[in-house]
Amino acid sequence: MVSPIIPLSLLVLLLLVSLVNSASLEQSFVQCLKLNSGRKPSLDSLIYSPSNPSFTSILDSTAQNLRCLVPSAPKPKFIFTPDSDSLVQAAVICSKKLGIHFIVRSGGHDYEGISYVSQIENPFIIIDLVKLRGINVDIKSNTAWVQAGATTGELYYRIYEKSSVHGFPAGLYTSLGIGGHITGGAYGGMMRKYGLGVDNVIDATIVDANGRILDRKAMGEDLFWAIRGGGGGSFGILLWWKVNLVPVPPTVTVFTVTKSLKQGATKILHRWQEVAPYIDEKLFIRVIIQPSSAANKTQRTVTTSYNALFLGGASTLLQIMKKSFPELGLTRKDCLETSWIKSVLYLADFPSGTPPEVLLKGKSTFKNFFKAKSDFVRKTIPETGLEGLWRRLLIDDSPLMIWNPYGGKMSQFSESDTPFPHRNGTLYKIQYLTLWEKGDKNPAKHIDWIRKLYNYMGPYVSSFPREAYVNYRDLDLGENTKNSTSYEKARSWGYSYYKKNFERLVRIKTKVDPQNVFRHEQSIPTRRF
Ligand SMILES: Cc1cc2nc3c(=O)[nH]c(=O)nc-3n(C[C@H](O)[C@H](O)[C@H](O)COP(=O)(O)OP(=O)(O)OC[C@H]3O[C@@H](n4cnc5c(N)ncnc54)[C@H](O)[C@@H]3O)c2cc1C
Ligand SMILES: *[C@@H]1O[C@H](CO)[C@@H](O)[C@H](O)[C@H]1NC(C)=O
Ligand SMILES: *[C@@H]1O[C@H](CO)[C@@H](O)[C@H](O)[C@H]1NC(C)=O
Ligand SMILES: *[C@@H]1O[C@H](CO)[C@@H](O)[C@H](O)[C@H]1NC(C)=O
């Protein structure tokens, strides 16, 4: 805020100085890029500064959390959208040389918006990988190379284009950026059968802190371990992932069955906790929980929707459900037999009949003002605990929870195989969200509500550490460790995201990026040992 006592002439002068500064910074950056990439053609079309009419639309384009786009949120000096790997490399070199901090964006789904807003660095620029979305699927070798800026939906589509019996086990949502998504784990409807995205990565290329491009062999097994689950923005800029494809049957089955409190939702959900993590690993039944959208608030109830993917036909599914989970009362009418690619569209909530080509548009249908948190559950929550949860859900305007079963393949990895530690013994993960509308006068009310809900859940969920999913980034974590050093705070969220793997991540970070070039609000810290 500008104080009114500063004379206007001084203000104009200050404004001019800052304009000249950012213009010359941009020019120096471009000159440096040209020198370092050997690039002849103009780079002007790849750089967007606030004076460019497209600046706001580029900044907002893939950003998912509107809470981080409000006018008061800090804005970048400019956005650079490299169209080649060597320009990403040059951008790292030139940012270092000019002393300007960069943050990296692939798909823009970060829950706290840290791929497009920095609260701790001023000034900063965005390196946006939106133009780097190559995908090369090779069915013969069962593999694909995928570039960071491609989306999960594009990858699924390119696989489907070549084969109806191959797939890839990553996110349910189809606009996630491969770059930021796989770095944090990447779960989806096939996780109980095939594990996470990171469990199916076999090679990668990154730009490291010295501006070198390294593949798995060149980076070594320590760094290759760290980038498979250690979270985005700490170890380098991921350029390409090489992944193994997985087999999918020609026919899969999906269903969604909804139960309200009146229909016995509490007892059924209690039972789900005992069943879903142990049932056939080809079956993934998540639960979407929210108040019914009754027009009349006093008549609101809680609804639980069982939203499932089964890697097989309906008759086998019905047998499994009859034996293990009859309480849900699944019938043949509830089941939809379809292809794997159409199950992707179904689980991502596209209207029925949407053609798979929609996946190439990379468009998100989410975009909200929201705050979210996550928990991992290791023992079933009693019915009284669930009832307390319903009472809390009913008082927020637009809350949402998604419960996501573990077990199966997830239990076969040890906690230290990858930095993602939430493995054997985890029954399921809870994601809590609160959403609000643009005109909401009091967003703080919703954030306060979700923090209280999180406190309420404390006794029912994992503890020491209270685990959280790094891809559901939560900047509240570590903040309650009052009067502690920044390293102690980092250790607090670090143990939530990675458990003991945090210590190994810190050692690797200190070795490969001692100057902490890749840093953000929750990047892995360096430490002298
Ligand atoms: C609507 C929605 C649905 C979701 N569904 C799922 C789901 O089904 N399964 C699941 O596992 N997760 C899901 N997520 C979470 C998602 O996996 C994370 O938000 C993930 O980080 C998104 O990656 P991105 O590239 O889109 O995000 P970005 O915001 O671009 O990046 C996230 C983080 O990674 C860093 N980063 C980005 N690109 C790179 C790169 N190339 N190299 C290094 N660091 C990089 C960023 O700086 C930032 O710190 C969902 C999120 C949303 C908003
Ligand atoms: C909402 O429902 C309650 C209970 O059925 C009723 O008493 C109340 O009048 C209704 N309010 C409105 C605005 O319809
Ligand atoms: C998972 O944990 C259970 C209970 O502690 C144990 O019996 C089982 O052997 C473990 N499974 C694996 C694959 O480690
Ligand atoms: C906080 O830390 C400082 C420095 O270690 C110490 O002097 C102070 O007493 C601490 N305050 C509290 C409330 O623990």
Side-chain angles (χ1 to χ4, degrees), residues 104 106-110 115 129 172 177 180-181 187 233 236 238 469 471 473:
V104 186
S106 287
H109 287 64
D110 192 276
S115 56
L129 307 183
L172 295 154
H181 177 51
Y187 81 86
L238 190 288
Y469 181 30
N471 267 355
R473 192 184 307 288

Side-chain angles (χ1 to χ4, degrees), residues 337-518:
E337 288 190 323
T338 187
S339 62
W340 176 73
I341 196 70
K342 288 194 178 149
S343 78
V344 165
L345 297 168
Y346 178 90
L347 293 170
D349 211 21
F350 284 99
S352 104
T354 306
E357 284 65 32
V358 74
L359 298 175
L360 297 180
K361 299 207 172 116
K363 279 266 182 282
S364 152
T365 47
F366 183 73
K367 283 218 182 219
N368 267 298
F369 293 84
F370 72 96
K371 170 69 192 161
K373 293 179 162 301
S374 62
D375 262 320
F376 288 86
V377 179
R378 290 174 171 271
K379 54 181 202 294
T380 57
I381 300 175
E383 285 183 29
T384 51
L386 299 177
E387 281 156 3
L389 188 50
W390 307 154
R391 283 193 294 277
R392 281 163 177 82
L393 280 185
L394 287 170
I395 61 173
D396 189 51
D397 296 334
S398 191
L400 173 67
M401 288 198 295
I402 303 176
W403 293 22
N404 176 174
Y406 273 56
K409 182 81 177 178
M410 290 299 288
S411 297
Q412 286 162 24
F413 293 91
S414 84
E415 287 194 349
S416 58
D417 279 348
T418 69
F420 180 100
H422 322 287
R423 301 285 188 171
N424 194 20
T426 302
L427 298 179
Y428 57 97
K429 183 189 71 204
I430 298 180
Q431 177 181 195
Y432 316 90
L433 293 123
T434 174
L435 317 174
W436 60 91
E437 303 275 320
K438 186 171 188 193
D440 198 311
K441 296 267 177 348
N442 195 2
K445 183 181 88 181
H446 304 290
I447 294 179
D448 185 53
W449 172 83
I450 203 169
R451 287 177 180 155
K452 286 191 174 131
L453 179 72
Y454 189 72
N455 286 343
Y456 166 75
M457 290 300 285
Y460 300 113
V461 298
S462 65
S463 52
F464 308 111
R466 184 169 181 176
E467 297 167 51
Y469 181 30
V470 64
N471 267 355
Y472 295 158
R473 192 184 307 288
D474 179 1
L475 294 182
D476 291 348
L477 297 175
E479 285 307 314
N480 56 359
T481 50
K482 290 211 176 58
N483 201 32
S484 51
T485 65
S486 69
Y487 186 79
E488 284 159 5
K489 278 187 182 160
R491 204 167 180 277
S492 171
W493 54 252
Y495 267 68
S496 290
Y497 292 150
Y498 314 111
K499 298 182 84 172
K500 287 203 186 78
N501 295 326
F502 178 70
E503 309 288 348
R504 183 173 173 198
L505 289 170
V506 170
R507 280 198 302 277
I508 296 170
K509 168 76 179 183
T510 306
K511 198 167 128 207
V512 303
D513 183 15
Q515 293 171 24
N516 205 12
V517 171
F518 299 105

Side-chain angles (χ1 to χ4, degrees), residues 184-200:
Y187 81 86
M190 299 200 288
M191 62 184 280
R192 303 191 63 253
K193 172 74 179 157
Y194 296 118
L196 304 170
V198 286
D199 300 329
N200 294 279

Side-chain angles (χ1 to χ4, degrees), residues 288-309:
I288 301 167
I289 303 171
Q290 58 197 131
S292 70
S293 44
N296 184 336
K297 259 200 167 179
T298 60
Q299 289 173 345
R300 264 177 137 199
T301 176
V302 173
T303 62
T304 54
S305 288
Y306 295 80
N307 178 238
L309 168 67

